[in-house]
Amino acid sequence: MIYTVTLNPAVDYVLEVDSIKIGETNRVREENYYIGGKGINVSRVLKELDIPSVALGFAAGFTGDLICSFLEKYGIKSDFVRLDSGFSRINVKIKNNTVTEINGNGPDISKEKIYMLFNKLDAVKDGDLIVLAGSVPQSVPFDIYQKIMERLSGKDIRFAVDATGQLLLDTLKYKPFVIKPNIDELAELFGKYPESEEEILKFANELHKKGARNVIVSLGKEGAVLVDENGHISRVSAHKGNVKNTVGAGDSLLAGFIAGYEKTGDFSYALRLGNAAGAATAFSEDLAKRKRIDEILNNDN
């Protein structure tokens, strides 16, 4: 079984406007809302690819209820720790020629509730995979990913970690199955923007040496590259299309990679499926749907 952990899930409220004037009343042309959070995004795309998962994390208030009801609607099992006060965050995204984001902080999470999450994770079995994705809320210890991995280190559990900076580096000693920095995050980790593929591979190999079994580097318009645990390098080019939405594209890439590997055990195919899933999200208003993923994958050269 695959488990995804989203510590600070959200309801994304997306407003499309012709223009926006600060300090004045503005009218919305179109509005939609979606449930979000990196782990939840991974669960949703896994579902499209016929891979079941359980969504874990924290949920609070009416927005927490909405998140859980949407997951149920999607056919995704969830087992969130419910908080006694506050509400799961709301992120407002205002679209005109650009996108302006106003992200909520989310509820406070007590030590007691954190231990409740740990207890749920204790039930994970050998052979399972846990996705740890996204930033850590202010009320949660910064090293929570480390603590989860250390707590479960006696089991044969694989981890996929999608995090940035020190949060990611601190997990490498636990040998995560896969990590997925993009090129900007790679530059942040090493204090230097890689100017060539040779430098990208050098940095990816450094992360491999530090413990990551498989390293995917998302290159945006240039595609992605994978250094796998066998030392083999796989590359994919970016798919061409009308980009409508970049939110969740990286999460979709990770979900596609996991699904591809779970189905075939082939790292090269897993990267191709991940690349197709990421593109399908980028070309959609919401996260990728199976039909669009298959279309892109079948056109893959």
Side-chain angles (χ1 to χ4, degrees), residues 184-201:
D184 293 325
E185 291 163 352
L186 203 64
E188 178 189 354
L189 289 170
F190 289 94
K192 182 182 185 298
Y193 195 89
E195 300 292 343
S196 64
E197 181 175 307
E198 183 180 0
E199 280 195 308
I200 291 168
L201 293 174

Side-chain angles (χ1 to χ4, degrees), residues 1-5 39 43 52-56 76-80:
M1 178 58 72
I2 295 172
Y3 297 83
T4 63
V5 177
S43 278
S53 67
V54 179
L56 302 174
I76 298 168
K77 183 178 179 181
S78 66
D79 190 16
F80 286 94

Side-chain angles (χ1 to χ4, degrees), residues 110-174:
S110 67
K111 289 182 180 180
E112 176 189 7
K113 298 299 183 179
I114 292 171
Y115 288 132
M116 289 177 67
L117 176 62
F118 286 169
N119 289 334
K120 290 179 184 292
L121 289 167
D122 285 343
V124 176
K125 299 177 181 178
D126 289 348
D128 290 342
L129 185 147
I130 299 175
V131 179
L132 302 174
S135 58
V136 175
Q138 293 179 356
S139 59
V140 172
F142 182 76
D143 62 352
I144 189 169
Y145 286 174
Q146 276 183 268
K147 288 181 176 178
I148 290 171
M149 297 173 82
E150 181 179 6
R151 186 181 181 98
L152 299 175
S153 61
K155 295 183 178 181
D156 182 21
I157 294 170
R158 295 166 295 157
F159 289 92
V161 181
D162 189 0
T164 61
Q166 196 62 43
L167 182 61
L168 173 62
L169 290 176
D170 288 343
T171 69
L172 297 184
K173 61 184 175 182
Y174 299 102

Side-chain angles (χ1 to χ4, degrees), residues 76-88:
I76 298 168
K77 183 178 179 181
S78 66
D79 190 16
F80 286 94
V81 175
R82 298 306 300 254
L83 305 181
D84 300 323
S85 60
F87 56 90
S88 296

Side-chain angles (χ1 to χ4, degrees), residues 31 39 51 79 82 118 128 141 154-155 168 208 213 240 252 259 296:
E31 58 187 323
I51 301 292
D79 190 16
R82 298 306 300 254
F118 286 169
D128 290 342
K155 295 183 178 181
L168 173 62
H208 184 68
R213 289 168 54 187
K240 295 181 180 179
S252 302
I296 293 171

Side-chain angles (χ1 to χ4, degrees), residues 35 41 60-61 106 123 132 140 196 240 243-244 259 261 283:
I35 61 170
N41 292 344
L132 302 174
V140 172
S196 64
K240 295 181 180 179
V243 175
K244 298 179 180 180
Y261 188 78
F283 302 155

Side-chain angles (χ1 to χ4, degrees), residues 16-87:
E16 295 190 23
V17 298
D18 293 319
S19 63
I20 184 165
K21 298 179 180 179
I22 303 299
E24 298 184 19
T25 298
N26 297 273
R27 298 297 179 186
V28 173
R29 183 175 69 249
E30 186 175 342
E31 58 187 323
N32 290 287
Y33 60 91
Y34 310 95
I35 61 170
K38 297 180 76 63
I40 286 175
N41 292 344
V42 171
S43 278
R44 288 181 58 195
V45 177
L46 286 174
K47 176 65 176 179
E48 291 293 324
L49 296 169
D50 299 323
I51 301 292
S53 67
V54 179
L56 302 174
F58 302 101
F62 74 101
T63 43
D65 293 339
L66 183 63
I67 289 166
C68 292
S69 67
F70 261 65
L71 286 170
E72 183 178 0
K73 173 186 172 183
Y74 293 137
I76 298 168
K77 183 178 179 181
S78 66
D79 190 16
F80 286 94
V81 175
R82 298 306 300 254
L83 305 181
D84 300 323
S85 60
F87 56 90

